[in-house]
Amino acid sequence: MSTPDNYIQYFPLEQCYPNQKDAMEKIHRSLLEENLVLFEGACGTGKTLSALVPSLHVGKQLGKTVFIATNVHQQMLQFIDEARQIKLSHDIKVLVFKGKMGMCPLKQGYDECEAKRDNTYDLMEIEKEIILKKQESKAAWDEYKSSGEAAHASLRDAIDEEREKLEEKASSLRKRSCDPLYEVLRAEDEKFQKWLFQDVRDPEQVNDYAAENGMCGYELLKRELKNADLVIGNFHHVLNDMIFSTMLRWMDKEPEDIIAIFDEAHNIENAARSHSSITLAEHTIESALAELNANEKSDLFTSMPVEDVEAVLSILLEVVRDTYDNRFKFGERQRVGRNWYDIRISDPYERNDVVYARFMRRMKETGYGEEKQVQELLGIAAEVGGLLDNAYHEQYKQGQTPILKRSHLKPTAEFFSQYLKLSNNENYYPVLNVRRDQGGEIYGRLELFTCIPKNVTGPLLDSIYSAILMSATLRPFDMIKSTLGITRQTCDLVYGLTFPEEHRLTITVSVPPQYSRIRDDPQNLQILEQVLQDTIENAGGNVIIFFPNAFEAKRHFRKFDGVLGVELFLDETGVSAQDIRKQFFQIGEQGGKAVLFTYLWGTLSEGVDYRNGRGRVVVVVGVGYSALNDRMHAVESAYDHEFGYGAGWEYAVQVPTIRKIRQAMGRVVRSPADYGVRILLDGRFMTDSAKRLGKYSVYPSFPEDERKEFLDVEAGKVKYSLLNFFSDMEELS
Ligand code: SF4
């Protein structure tokens, strides 16, 4: 039996960061006690190893599998790197899992793959039977030769006839099976297993191995999941209920056998929200109706009152179309393009869904009774749709159809049944989306948006053995517990920046609060532009400016473009953020200076490492609240309803925005020797703003240990602060 601190054997480095030992100790204890860990650690606190080391130890001791879920590619690379270091001294089996879409060499969709898989398994079975038949045939022929009895010769002929039939079947199946999977099934497990677990292989290496051997990398990985001690995957592998159950089956595990580590865990709520929101496109309803007509006489439909189901779906289609046609305001129709555009069908606070009301009214006018009757019809339709799916699958397998058809009746009936039940529920928000198709025609889609996804996260976090939720911006912990539905005992850990304090400067500048109503004010613009100009001119390297939105980033970029004698980059839609980042980094790394104009809710504010020369100054302009659209109001109202009035603004808007700002500020100063300046450009950040601006101040929303570093500076003196800081840094170096 190991002693409690045996976990340290998994720590691959010579020395720990100052707080790493403490973190590992507490996490180790919490895991043994089956508690959840909420772990906020600033850059340089060694979060990854602090979580991984005790988890691997407890996992080995108790026969649990450690599952790291991360949505950031850069972080995945870091996990791979750290797992490799651990592997140098410990024989841990690590598997980096990637979705089928990214691994399939044939580029097949989910359903096509399923049908090909079925055919491949059938083919393998038939090939086994053929071998048996050959053996039986030989035995019968040998008997005939030794006995001379005609019965043996007849038996051999009969067996050969059966074998020929099987060969015909096999040859037909071969055309519809999957060769790369066939090769996987024929190969010995051990060879790939040995190669895979010799090192920590990334999915690209697995794909190369698979390609060299004519195999499917995805299937190879799947087979080895049950042997892995540590699996590195994405959020959706855990947050999507169906995918998680499938993964567990492949791992041969139950939820209580899993220790989950969620990286960038402040994003769990959003990720879970998108996994639990559901949609139904107008075209799917049309296809369901066409399916009804096409199969009217099919035996499968005998149990279904086809006319009644047809009436339900036709009225639904009519209501969807009428609703968007009637709700377009003047000029709105023209604004609809190829991206989905939301049309309000329910007040985000009152929840009075007009699609539901119109649908029920039309049903009653047509002679159908209450919702209960509609639900019964939808239940039957979903069941019959399921039977159709099975029939389509069989037809594809048999080669009777060149592509795999899918029932539209089933998803239509299932969606609408849910919609009727939940569209007026506080935790859901119905939206009608519209966009133009290839031919320029407008079509609609009903969406049931989930406001608080704790119905996904709560049961998940309850059922697994334990979990570590880690991020540099996880606080406030009470909120994360409430919004994710955490009911278990937690261990709450916070470790702030440990780098030398003199290597960083955080200033809050006394410019007017950048409320959207004053953004165009000429006086305000003049003050803002002067501070930005002073910042750019006096920064000791690359400057990253986060604006509240893409529009603001563009308009300020235009103002400065060609004026300052430094290269400017604009992060905008249609331009690769990765290319911009590469060029921007290169200039800074070579000792030059460039400016990046980007925005808070874009892709460059999180998971990007602007270390050393890549970024010396980060500026956050305004408070940058996320777009306050109907969905956001609905989320706000759901939180108010669930947690009491006032919680909505705090949980849905204020806290996520402050987290974003903290993430943006954390882009610079990435190691003990690194240095940089963080500038918060809005009066609401200032230390005395609570007194001056009351509830509009955001200063109190920052964790105390971080806000105590804020230094108020007058707009005209920002340049001196920068000059002093960078000259001090030069002296130090
Ligand atoms: S089994 Fe593999 S190669 Fe075959 S279709 Fe599915 S993912 Fe693609």
Side-chain angles (χ1 to χ4, degrees):
M1 188 69 189
S2 70
T3 55
D5 64 353
N6 258 184
Y7 62 83
I8 208 74
Q9 63 183 287
Y10 286 93
F11 192 77
L13 308 176
E14 292 283 305
Q15 271 193 330
C16 299
Y17 285 116
N19 45 37
Q20 222 167 6
K21 181 90 176 57
D22 183 61
M24 285 191 287
E25 186 79 46
K26 287 176 175 153
I27 292 175
H28 187 252
R29 204 177 321 127
S30 300
L31 293 180
L32 289 175
E33 289 168 4
E34 296 186 41
N35 294 336
L36 296 193
V37 181
L38 302 180
F39 179 17
E40 179 174 303
C43 175
T45 50
K47 287 190 291 298
T48 313
L49 279 178
S50 300
L52 200 48
V53 165
S55 301
L56 283 172
H57 183 253
V58 174
K60 266 275 188 231
Q61 295 291 300
L62 306 180
K64 312 287 177 196
T65 303
V66 180
F67 197 118
I68 298 177
T70 176
N71 264 10
V72 182
H73 183 65
Q74 197 59 37
Q75 290 297 106
M76 181 172 278
L77 297 182
Q78 192 179 338
F79 280 120
I80 292 175
D81 195 46
E82 302 205 323
R84 277 189 183 134
Q85 291 183 42
I86 296 174
K87 195 162 170 66
L88 291 176
S89 57
H90 278 81
D91 184 25
I92 51 164
K93 295 190 172 74
V94 186
L95 190 149
V96 186
F97 198 73
K98 196 171 171 184
K100 187 181 286 191
M101 293 302 108
M103 300 281 295
C104 175
L106 307 181
K107 305 282 170 243
Q108 296 291 301
Y110 178 82
D111 293 321
E112 285 80 3
C113 166
E114 283 303 295
K116 276 185 181 292
R117 280 170 45 77
D118 284 356
N119 284 341
T120 313
Y121 282 106
D122 288 353
L123 174 64
M124 299 289 288
E125 284 307 308
I126 288 176
E127 284 182 343
K128 272 189 218 149
E129 277 185 57
I130 291 172
I131 292 170
L132 277 179
K133 291 287 171 214
K134 279 183 181 164
Q135 288 166 352
E136 286 171 18
S137 164
K138 184 174 177 303
W141 187 242
D142 288 346
E143 279 290 332
Y144 170 68
K145 278 201 294 189
S146 62
S147 68
E149 285 174 24
H152 289 297
S154 308
L155 178 64
R156 187 196 75 153
D157 290 346
I159 293 170
D160 281 353
E161 208 174 299
E162 283 172 27
R163 179 182 49 79
E164 276 163 23
K165 278 191 193 141
L166 286 172
E167 271 169 355
E168 265 173 42
K169 211 169 163 189
S171 142
S172 155
L173 271 176
R174 223 164 264 129
K175 292 186 197 126
R176 290 172 281 112
S177 63
C178 172
D179 291 342
L181 171 63
Y182 183 81
E183 291 306 320
V184 172
L185 297 176
R186 268 170 22 116
E188 316 147 21
D189 283 358
E190 294 77 33
K191 189 173 164 221
F192 174 70
Q193 192 183 89
K194 200 165 159 217
W195 174 85
L196 180 72
F197 294 133
Q198 233 164 32
D199 195 348
V200 179
R201 312 287 186 182
D202 62 40
E204 284 67 35
Q205 289 174 304
V206 173
N207 267 348
D208 289 346
Y209 175 100
E212 273 166 31
N213 293 280
M215 294 178 174
C216 166
Y218 181 75
E219 289 291 331
L220 282 169
L221 281 181
K222 246 172 73 179
R223 290 208 303 188
E224 292 308 324
L225 271 170
K226 60 181 180 303
N227 297 316
D229 304 309
L230 169 65
V231 178
I232 305 176
N234 284 319
F235 269 12
H236 72 267
H237 292 135
V238 186
L239 292 177
N240 183 309
D241 188 32
M242 223 172 70
I243 297 180
F244 188 49
S245 315
T246 312
M247 296 275 298
L248 287 175
R249 190 157 37 82
W250 293 336
M251 289 161 91
D252 201 10
K253 298 276 179 194
E254 296 295 327
E256 59 266 26
D257 299 322
I258 303 296
I259 298 174
I261 301 176
F262 288 95
D263 179 51
E264 302 287 357
H266 60 280
N267 288 324
I268 291 182
E269 201 189 341
N270 259 342
R273 189 173 283 133
S274 70
H275 284 304
S276 50
S277 298
I278 51 174
T279 58
L280 175 69
E282 187 181 324
H283 296 332
T284 311
I285 313 173
E286 284 169 4
S287 303
L289 280 163
E291 204 168 39
L292 278 178
N293 288 328
N295 293 283
E296 216 172 348
K297 305 224 159 47
S298 155
D299 290 346
L300 296 175
F301 277 35
T302 45
S303 64
M304 185 167 69
V306 177
E307 275 181 22
D308 294 340
V309 173
E310 200 173 353
V312 171
L313 300 190
S314 302
I315 290 174
L316 170 62
L317 188 59
E318 176 194 309
V319 168
V320 167
R321 284 177 179 156
D322 283 355
T323 306
Y324 64 73
D325 271 340
N326 291 332
R327 290 187 91 81
F328 278 134
K329 297 191 194 88
F330 180 73
E332 204 174 11
R333 179 181 284 275
Q334 284 66 37
R335 288 209 296 277
V336 177
R338 299 295 289 277
N339 293 328
W340 288 112
Y341 178 90
D342 283 359
I343 292 186
R344 179 192 277 204
I345 51 173
S346 173
D347 182 284
Y349 298 102
E350 300 294 323
R351 304 298 161 93
N352 46 2
D353 176 18
V354 296
V355 166
Y356 176 91
R358 283 183 185 182
F359 173 81
M360 287 315 299
R361 194 171 58 238
R362 287 282 297 115
M363 286 304 288
K364 279 181 191 155
E365 284 165 9
T366 325
Y368 293 90
E370 300 300 319
E371 189 188 317
K372 189 166 171 271
Q373 190 190 358
V374 179
Q375 286 289 8
E376 276 166 16
L377 289 170
L378 290 172
I380 300 169
E383 211 171 292
V384 174
L387 296 176
L388 267 179
D389 258 345
N390 296 343
Y392 292 153
H393 190 83
E394 209 41 46
Q395 285 165 6
Y396 181 70
K397 266 180 66 187
Q398 303 298 333
Q400 291 159 6
T401 50
I403 52 159
L404 177 67
K405 287 207 281 177
R406 292 188 61 194
S407 162
H408 295 279
L409 191 56
K410 185 169 181 262
T412 303
E414 283 177 346
F415 171 90
F416 198 50
S417 168
Q418 283 292 92
Y419 186 90
L420 289 177
K421 274 185 225 153
L422 301 171
S423 76
N424 285 314
N425 177 306
E426 280 292 335
N427 195 25
Y428 296 86
Y429 183 58
V431 190
L432 184 54
N433 326 128
V434 286
R435 73 171 178 192
R436 287 186 193 275
D437 62 16
Q438 302 278 3
E441 291 298 314
I442 288 180
Y443 71 101
R445 181 180 80 167
L446 270 181
E447 179 181 354
L448 196 56
F449 173 73
T450 306
C451 297
I452 310 178
K454 65 176 181 172
N455 55 336
V456 174
T457 50
L460 169 76
L461 294 172
D462 249 359
S463 63
I464 53 183
Y465 174 78
S466 180
I468 302 167
L469 276 60
M470 62 182 200
S471 161
T473 55
L474 200 59
R475 286 179 286 173
F477 291 142
D478 282 351
M479 172 186 153
I480 207 114
K481 287 180 206 172
S482 306
T483 55
L484 298 185
I486 295 175
T487 50
R488 291 167 70 164
Q489 182 79 30
T490 63
C491 162
D492 305 345
L493 300 175
V494 178
Y495 299 98
L497 268 181
T498 55
F499 306 151
E501 265 188 52
E502 61 276 18
H503 283 191
R504 61 185 183 270
L505 174 68
T506 308
I507 57 178
T508 48
V509 186
S510 77
V511 294
Q514 299 295 300
Y515 302 125
S516 48
R517 64 175 184 274
I518 72 148
R519 280 188 202 147
D520 293 333
D521 175 69
Q523 206 186 344
N524 175 58
L525 279 172
Q526 200 187 359
I527 300 172
L528 207 63
E529 277 157 18
Q530 190 58 53
V531 178
L532 289 176
Q533 182 168 339
D534 289 348
T535 302
I536 295 167
E537 284 173 352
N538 295 288
N542 272 0
V543 180
I544 308 118
I545 312 177
F546 290 100
F547 289 90
N549 54 51
F551 172 82
E552 290 293 321
K554 193 167 185 170
R555 95 158 152 171
H556 286 280
F557 169 83
R558 282 193 178 140
K559 278 273 170 69
F560 285 109
D561 199 16
V563 175
L564 294 173
V566 288
E567 192 153 355
L568 307 187
F569 293 90
L570 174 65
D571 171 20
E572 62 179 334
T573 335
V575 179
S576 154
Q578 199 161 340
D579 288 350
I580 293 177
R581 196 169 66 183
K582 221 163 122 191
Q583 293 175 48
F584 178 71
F585 282 177
Q586 210 167 29
I587 294 175
E589 282 166 345
Q590 288 168 355
K593 188 198 294 187
V595 186
L596 173 60
F597 288 72
T598 180
Y599 48 104
L600 206 56
W601 298 88
T603 54
L604 296 174
S605 60
E606 274 193 42
V608 185
D609 184 5
Y610 296 85
R611 64 175 178 267
N612 302 319
R614 290 174 171 189
R616 288 293 178 208
V617 178
V618 67
V619 187
V620 177
V621 181
V623 176
Y625 288 121
S626 53
L628 293 178
N629 52 26
D630 280 353
R631 287 167 193 258
M632 195 47 78
H633 288 306
V635 173
E636 196 187 333
S637 136
Y639 281 130
D640 273 342
H641 186 259
E642 179 85 18
F643 303 112
Y645 185 73
W649 170 259
E650 191 67 16
Y651 289 5
V653 185
Q654 184 84 322
V655 170
T657 304
I658 298 300
R659 279 199 189 121
K660 266 281 173 209
I661 293 169
R662 293 174 62 210
Q663 283 283 341
M665 290 165 71
R667 295 308 93 207
V668 294
V669 192
R670 312 282 298 171
S671 66
D674 198 359
Y675 59 92
V677 179
R678 292 93 63 98
I679 301 178
L680 298 172
L681 206 46
D682 190 302
R684 285 170 286 182
F685 292 117
M686 297 185 70
T687 58
D688 62 351
S689 58
K691 261 189 252 149
R692 289 184 297 108
L693 303 167
K695 64 175 185 177
Y696 299 107
S697 165
V698 293
Y699 173 75
S701 301
F702 286 82
E704 200 180 338
D705 51 313
E706 289 179 18
R707 66 182 187 230
K708 76 174 196 299
E709 293 195 11
F710 290 11
L711 218 67
D712 293 343
V713 173
E714 283 171 33
K717 294 194 173 152
V718 170
K719 57 184 167 210
Y720 304 117
S721 300
L722 288 167
L723 270 174
N724 291 339
F725 177 81
F726 284 110
S727 78
D728 286 352
M729 286 304 107
E730 244 172 61
E731 269 175 36
L732 275 177
S733 61

